[in-house]
Amino acid sequence: IAALFFIFFAAVLIAVLLSGLAALLAKLTSTSRGWALTASSLTVAAVIVAILSLFGTQLAGQISDVFARLPDAIEAGGERLGIHNAFEQIKEAVSGEGGGQLLSRVANLGYTAIGVATDLVLILVIAVYLATDPRLYRAGMIKLFPPEQHERVGDALDVTASALRLWFLGQLVSMVLVGVLSGVAFWWIGLPSPLGLALVAGTTNFVPMIGPLVGAIPALLFAVTQDFGTVLWTMVAVLAIQQFEGNLITPMVQRRAVDIPPAVMLLGIAVFGLLGGIAGVILAVPLTVAIMVLVQKLWIRETLGEKTTIPGET
């Protein structure tokens, strides 16, 4: 049930984004919503295909290079810390006791990859259906509540959708800036596969606070395989980019998007990580945004009568 919940929420998130883009396009071009949704979906797909066409081969090569170099980087890092055969120890810890266990885990990994691909297709199909006729599903959700609550619940759903769009756009800006800055810094330092490392750094930044730490690990491991100066400059670059992102980019973006208290964000990541594993961690922040908006609107303002500013409310 938890897995289905996260699949459904991921589809809702994508549908909210596509629907918002379609509404903006329909307003700018005075076209029908159906044509605007088709055009916006094709535009997003075309941008992705164009990026993959221009940089796909180079990105694939550099990402493969990142994973190919990681064992040596782990070994080098272990040696510097006085841990011999660090990579072999990690492999033994993962594989358990014996080759049969390892083969079983490899088989499970294959099934997991197939499951992830299936889930992604399911998410995209559900998202397209939701975005095509959001009023139908919105009305169905509202009917789960008593008639006297229909207007209140509908308004809350609209505000939540708006807040999710604002959060995603803000996070996208942050991810792109971190990825670009990281790529330039890693290229200047002389790290191998700077484009692949930058993609990792930018993508992991989707999960605030924890993601940047995870994204910095491959770059630091690669630096360890070279000299102390490279390690020092890499650490300086990572810290500088994260400080720039955390103290300048994020506050500027959140001023126009959604400002989540750090403690609430960490609690959300912990809770949804326990419930959904990696999927829960990835979707923890938008889920926290949705819950925070609903609590502020339905409970704090409309039930308790307290004045509060709600993200996404016009």
Side-chain angles (χ1 to χ4, degrees):
I1 293 174
L4 290 175
F5 168 77
F6 288 110
I7 287 174
F8 179 71
F9 182 79
V12 169
L13 184 61
I14 295 174
V16 164
L17 300 175
L18 287 177
S19 183
L21 185 59
L24 178 62
L25 189 61
K27 183 179 179 180
L28 294 175
T29 61
S30 300
T31 58
S32 66
R33 192 184 179 284
W35 283 109
L37 178 63
T38 302
S40 60
S41 301
L42 291 175
T43 300
V44 171
V47 170
I48 294 173
V49 170
I51 293 174
L52 291 177
S53 299
L54 291 173
F55 305 107
T57 303
Q58 186 178 5
L59 272 176
Q62 293 206 10
I63 291 174
S64 298
D65 189 51
V66 168
F67 285 103
R69 290 174 179 265
L70 272 179
D72 292 335
I74 293 172
E75 288 286 353
E79 290 294 334
R80 288 182 179 272
L81 295 174
I83 303 173
H84 301 293
N85 299 321
F87 183 69
E88 291 298 326
Q89 293 187 38
I90 292 175
K91 278 206 313 184
E92 289 177 8
V94 171
S95 62
E97 302 176 359
Q101 184 90 358
L102 179 59
L103 289 175
S104 175
R105 288 176 181 268
V106 170
N108 288 335
L109 183 61
Y111 285 121
T112 301
I114 295 173
V116 169
T118 304
D119 290 346
L120 288 175
V121 172
L122 181 60
I123 288 169
L124 291 175
V125 171
I126 295 174
V128 169
Y129 278 118
L130 292 175
T132 301
D133 193 1
R135 288 178 294 181
L136 173 66
Y137 302 100
R138 177 181 177 276
M141 177 69 72
I142 291 173
K143 287 179 181 178
L144 296 174
F145 298 87
E148 63 271 15
Q149 297 294 330
H150 284 185
E151 183 178 353
R152 184 185 183 199
V153 172
D155 188 37
L157 292 176
D158 293 340
V159 173
T160 304
S162 179
L164 286 173
R165 279 192 289 268
L166 288 173
W167 173 82
F168 184 83
L169 290 174
Q171 201 60 32
L172 183 63
V173 170
S174 177
M175 290 167 61
V176 170
L177 289 176
V178 167
V180 171
L181 292 174
S182 298
V184 172
F186 297 156
W187 169 79
W188 181 77
I189 293 169
L191 292 179
S193 306
L195 194 58
L197 292 174
L199 181 65
V200 171
T203 303
T204 53
N205 209 67
F206 183 80
V207 182
M209 304 182 77
I210 294 177
L213 298 177
V214 175
I217 291 175
L220 292 172
L221 286 174
F222 280 17
V224 168
T225 63
Q226 300 187 32
D227 52 64
F228 179 75
T230 304
V231 175
L232 182 62
W233 279 112
T234 302
M235 291 179 64
V236 169
V238 168
L239 290 174
I241 291 170
Q242 291 308 321
Q243 288 298 312
F244 178 72
E245 188 269 340
N247 296 312
L248 185 62
I249 299 173
T250 298
M252 289 178 61
V253 168
Q254 287 181 342
R255 196 174 304 161
R256 296 181 175 272
V258 181
D259 188 9
I260 309 175
V264 175
M265 190 185 302
L266 276 177
L267 181 62
I269 293 172
V271 170
F272 291 114
L274 287 173
L275 290 175
I278 295 176
V281 171
I282 293 172
L283 295 173
V285 180
L287 276 166
T288 304
V289 169
I291 292 172
M292 187 178 72
V293 169
L294 291 173
V295 168
Q296 286 179 327
K297 182 169 179 59
L298 296 177
W299 177 250
I300 295 177
R301 177 189 288 178
E302 298 184 6
T303 302
L304 300 181
E306 298 284 348
K307 293 183 179 180
T308 182
T309 302
I310 301 174
E313 194 173 48
T314 56

